[in-house]
Amino acid sequence: MATDKQTPPQQQESGSESISSVLSEKRKFPPPTEFSNAAHISSMEDYEKLYAEAAKDPEAYWAGIAEQFHWEKPWEKVLDWQPPYAKWFPGATTNICYNAVDRHVNSWRKNKAAVIWEGEEGDQRVLTYAELHRQVSKFANVLKIAGVKPGDRVAIYMGMVPELVIAVLACARVGAVHNVIFAGFAAHAITERVNDSKAKLIICADGTRRRGSTINLKNIVDEAIVNTPSVRSVIVLKVTGEEVNMHDGMDHWWHDLMGLAMDHNEPEFVDAEHPLFILYTSGSTGKPKGILHTTGGYMVHAANSFKYVFDIKDEDIYWCTADVGWITGHSYLVYGPLLNGATLMMYEGAPNYPQWDRFWDIINRHKITILYTAPTAIRAFIRAGDEWVTKHDLSSLRLLGTVGEPINPKAWMWYHTVVGQEKCPIVDTWWQTETGGILVSPLPGATPTKPGTATRPLPGIMVDVVRKDGEPCKSNEGGYLVIKKPWPSMLRTIYGDNKRYEETYWSEFKDMYFTGDGARKDEDGYIWIMGRVDDVVNVSGHRLGTSEVESALVAHEAVAEAAVVSRPDDLKGNALIAFVTLKDEYQGDMKLREDLRNHVSREIGPIAKPDEIRWAQGLPKTRSGKIMRRLLRELASSKEIKGDVTTLEDSGVLEQLREQEEED
Ligand code: WTA
């Protein structure tokens, strides 16, 4: 078994609410009538009907949606399913950039704003569909000049500027496979990803802005590519004007190459199953997984889920606050909105820069109608105080969304009342890097919502909560969340590692995709996510593997052994606690605690920095040598143990717990 599967946890709660308060959450909020009247799907009856139709003949359902896009060549069949390998729309050819950009340029939308961008310092840019098309076409020509061929991998490492969207779309246009690496990741993380994907080219920025200062990204790339033999060139976009070293023959300025490129570019029509992107995400073992998504199926579900979950209309100004370095940014900042011809807002910086009202100020000034953000941000806003929100006019908002982690009812209610003024439905969307798009979510004009649940699966999506033996759980019984039928935007494999793909997702349950999440289904069939049941942790909405952090720790010369577990945290959802055994010669070095935290930050990135490091004489293990993580989790959350005190080696209680664990 690939995952160290735990029994389904209790509801992963933050804030002061207890598990029982979530279990007894009975409040229900029907969609406002005015909203429903204008919605694409306006009643539960319509949802039920569509769901039943799609369940009866999923292939006909997906084909009906796919027909709304441009295919250069039609498909021979809708689905070729050789479990666990799916081919959607085999035989067809298309280009997702053509569908996201050219199609709108050929319509009345050509002068509609595609991207409204605001920099951290308040600078603004608007790209219409026509302008986006021109820039993407030009940059696609740049990629060709750089020798990029269909199927080549291209790494992208830059902050949230419009050129990031342009780079992503241009890769898709020429059939190259993009791999966006979050600009908060460190050099080592870039090296690891670039070597795994064997990227030929890196597109980066000189620097990025963060809370009034700048980070030199090019220096980080220079450090990363000392050990990446596949990289032939680096294209550097000037954003902050950092001092950078440009290496002859290797490094090229974005603006120089754009100066050489023609405006016109013919998109490369590729097979529906042609790889579109690789996005690395954390798993149960140390090495990040390269989640591979392909073109046609991803396009169909990213676009369709966006349309219905966000009930998108041409007048909307939609804002997803996620970074393009994560899957949410891929599907619901770039592809979903653009495939629908929507206007999207893109913001470069931090939510609390220069002050805690930056988001609300942006909403007021740009008249944002739909806001999609993460529970961790909501909890931070609650802490900062309502006055930052209420001093702005947020009346343009009509719909709110959340993603990335369970939202606790208290945060949900605050979002509903303080931000949404009790008039905006909330879509709590459950999905994963692997699923490519939202799978479980309310449809805002139809589904009555309850604080803390992502409610029901979208039409065409068959999810269930099952026991260890794969049998469905009873109502409200905790179990494992699985997906019972293939869906178009599912990952196709883990890049270069089919075995890991099969083991991670398809070996726990027969013919079902295992999500790694614990859940329960209530009497209305609503899904309540209870958090991960493997060694993946959600920290501030970012997914991290505890073993990744462990690998980084043991790479430090002072560390003999390390185990990392999570503890519920009011603000971040989860905090990381590292239990570290030092080598003898380093024992007693008090400075090491900070050194180790910084070391992890350098190895992976600041998001992975342990919140707390505890010294341990030895780690508790079973007789077979397995670290007893459950015990460490209990220790990490225990109220009695504070700060420095580590009593791992001599507690009778622990002995007892250890014995219990062994018996399991
Ligand atoms: C968690 C982010 C509860 C879950 C799109 C999942 C959620 C993991 C929700 C995927 C939600 C995501 N409610 N939990 N609405 N959305 N999760 O790959 O544990 O970064 O497995 O994708 O986040 O994280 P990932």
Side-chain angles (χ1 to χ4, degrees), residues 168-245:
V168 162
L169 291 168
C171 284
R173 191 171 187 87
V174 302
V177 185
H178 54 78
N179 169 214
V180 182
I181 302 172
F182 174 56
F185 278 128
H188 174 76
I190 304 176
T191 306
E192 202 173 21
R193 285 158 175 75
V194 166
N195 282 340
D196 189 73
S197 68
K198 303 203 174 44
K200 203 170 173 179
L201 171 73
I202 298 182
I203 305 167
C204 71
D206 57 348
T208 185
R209 298 184 194 92
R210 199 68 183 169
R211 288 194 184 87
S213 60
T214 61
I215 300 161
N216 188 316
L217 297 179
K218 174 64 167 57
N219 282 350
I220 300 175
V221 170
D222 287 349
E223 192 188 330
I225 64 172
V226 172
N227 299 314
T228 56
S230 62
V231 176
R232 298 220 209 114
S233 37
V234 179
I235 298 179
V236 188
L237 174 76
K238 195 173 254 186
V239 174
T240 54
E242 299 305 288
E243 281 234 353
V244 294
N245 298 317

Side-chain angles (χ1 to χ4, degrees), residues 327-563:
I327 191 70
T328 307
H330 280 61
S331 301
Y332 299 110
L333 190 147
V334 181
Y335 287 115
L338 296 177
L339 284 162
N340 280 279
T343 297
L344 68 93
M345 173 79 210
M346 181 178 191
Y347 168 56
E348 180 184 37
N352 58 350
Y353 184 81
Q355 306 190 93
W356 271 106
D357 63 345
R358 185 60 183 268
F359 272 24
W360 322 116
D361 183 38
I362 288 178
I363 290 170
N364 175 31
R365 279 185 292 105
H366 294 278
K367 301 292 169 233
I368 303 294
T369 59
I370 304 170
L371 174 68
Y372 191 32
T373 193
T376 190
I378 297 169
R379 291 193 297 267
F381 291 132
I382 297 176
R383 191 175 276 197
D386 294 7
E387 58 282 6
W388 291 112
V389 189
T390 51
K391 72 178 188 189
H392 294 280
D393 174 6
L394 304 184
S395 58
S396 58
L397 284 174
R398 67 180 196 94
L399 177 59
L400 304 173
T402 76
V403 59
E405 55 183 314
I407 178 164
N408 46 308
K410 190 169 127 197
W412 195 101
M413 287 306 298
W414 183 88
Y415 202 28
H416 172 69
T417 48
V418 181
V419 180
Q421 307 285 301
E422 299 184 5
K423 72 174 172 63
C424 304
I426 296 179
V427 285
D428 173 357
T429 62
W430 177 89
W431 58 298
Q432 310 179 297
T433 307
E434 291 86 343
T435 69
I438 297 167
L439 297 194
V440 182
S441 167
L443 293 176
T447 318
T449 50
K450 300 183 202 176
T453 164
T455 75
R456 304 269 298 266
L458 297 185
I461 304 299
M462 319 299 161
V463 298
D464 207 352
V465 178
V466 299
R467 297 178 183 163
K468 265 196 170 116
D469 62 4
E471 286 305 309
C473 286
K474 289 196 300 240
S475 181
N476 282 316
E477 182 189 356
Y480 305 96
L481 187 69
V482 295
I483 309 171
K484 290 184 155 172
K485 283 252 159 59
W487 66 103
S489 64
M490 64 191 275
L491 79 164
R492 297 305 193 260
T493 190
I494 292 173
Y495 189 73
D497 200 345
N498 284 350
K499 190 160 166 276
R500 194 175 175 196
Y501 167 70
E502 291 166 18
E503 280 175 358
T504 309
Y505 305 108
W506 302 95
S507 69
E508 302 283 351
F509 302 103
K510 194 174 174 324
D511 291 339
M512 291 187 236
Y513 168 90
F514 177 46
T515 62
D517 278 345
R520 72 181 167 91
K521 201 153 70 165
D522 73 11
E523 55 288 351
D524 290 327
Y526 284 22
I527 308 279
W528 296 74
I529 305 295
M530 305 195 300
R532 301 285 310 192
V533 293
D534 53 12
D535 291 325
V536 172
V537 180
N538 210 314
V539 179
S540 297
H542 298 320
R543 199 168 140 176
L544 285 170
T546 48
S547 50
E548 256 174 275
V549 185
E550 285 164 7
S551 308
L553 282 168
V554 296
H556 190 282
E557 56 183 8
V559 176
E561 211 175 14

Side-chain angles (χ1 to χ4, degrees), residues 140-340:
N141 286 328
V142 166
L143 292 177
K144 286 188 164 176
I145 297 169
V148 173
K149 301 263 174 327
D152 284 349
R153 274 80 58 211
V154 174
I156 304 178
Y157 183 67
M158 55 212 286
M160 288 280 284
V161 290
E163 284 78 3
L164 172 53
V165 177
I166 292 167
V168 162
L169 291 168
C171 284
R173 191 171 187 87
V174 302
V177 185
H178 54 78
N179 169 214
V180 182
I181 302 172
F182 174 56
F185 278 128
H188 174 76
I190 304 176
T191 306
E192 202 173 21
R193 285 158 175 75
V194 166
N195 282 340
D196 189 73
S197 68
K198 303 203 174 44
K200 203 170 173 179
L201 171 73
I202 298 182
I203 305 167
C204 71
D206 57 348
T208 185
R209 298 184 194 92
R210 199 68 183 169
R211 288 194 184 87
S213 60
T214 61
I215 300 161
N216 188 316
L217 297 179
K218 174 64 167 57
N219 282 350
I220 300 175
V221 170
D222 287 349
E223 192 188 330
I225 64 172
V226 172
N227 299 314
T228 56
S230 62
V231 176
R232 298 220 209 114
S233 37
V234 179
I235 298 179
V236 188
L237 174 76
K238 195 173 254 186
V239 174
T240 54
E242 299 305 288
E243 281 234 353
V244 294
N245 298 317
M246 296 295 279
H247 305 100
D248 269 355
M250 177 76 153
D251 298 341
H252 309 271
W253 285 110
W254 172 295
H255 55 262
D256 286 345
L257 297 176
M258 285 292 256
L260 302 173
M262 292 193 316
D263 277 4
H264 179 78
N265 174 277
E266 281 298 320
E268 188 78 34
F269 287 101
V270 293
D271 277 357
E273 280 300 332
H274 185 78
L276 175 63
F277 65 86
I278 302 169
L279 186 60
Y280 286 85
T281 189
S282 299
S284 299
T285 64
K287 197 169 165 266
K289 301 181 286 195
I291 303 300
L292 180 76
H293 283 287
T294 59
T295 306
Y298 174 82
M299 171 172 83
V300 167
H301 186 63
N304 189 61
S305 57
F306 178 78
K307 176 175 171 185
Y308 288 105
V309 170
F310 297 104
D311 188 51
I312 199 75
K313 307 277 165 52
D314 261 313
E315 314 78 78
D316 279 315
I317 305 199
Y318 160 89
W319 183 22
C320 166
T321 67
D323 194 288
V324 179
W326 310 107
I327 191 70
T328 307
H330 280 61
S331 301
Y332 299 110
L333 190 147
V334 181
Y335 287 115
L338 296 177
L339 284 162
N340 280 279

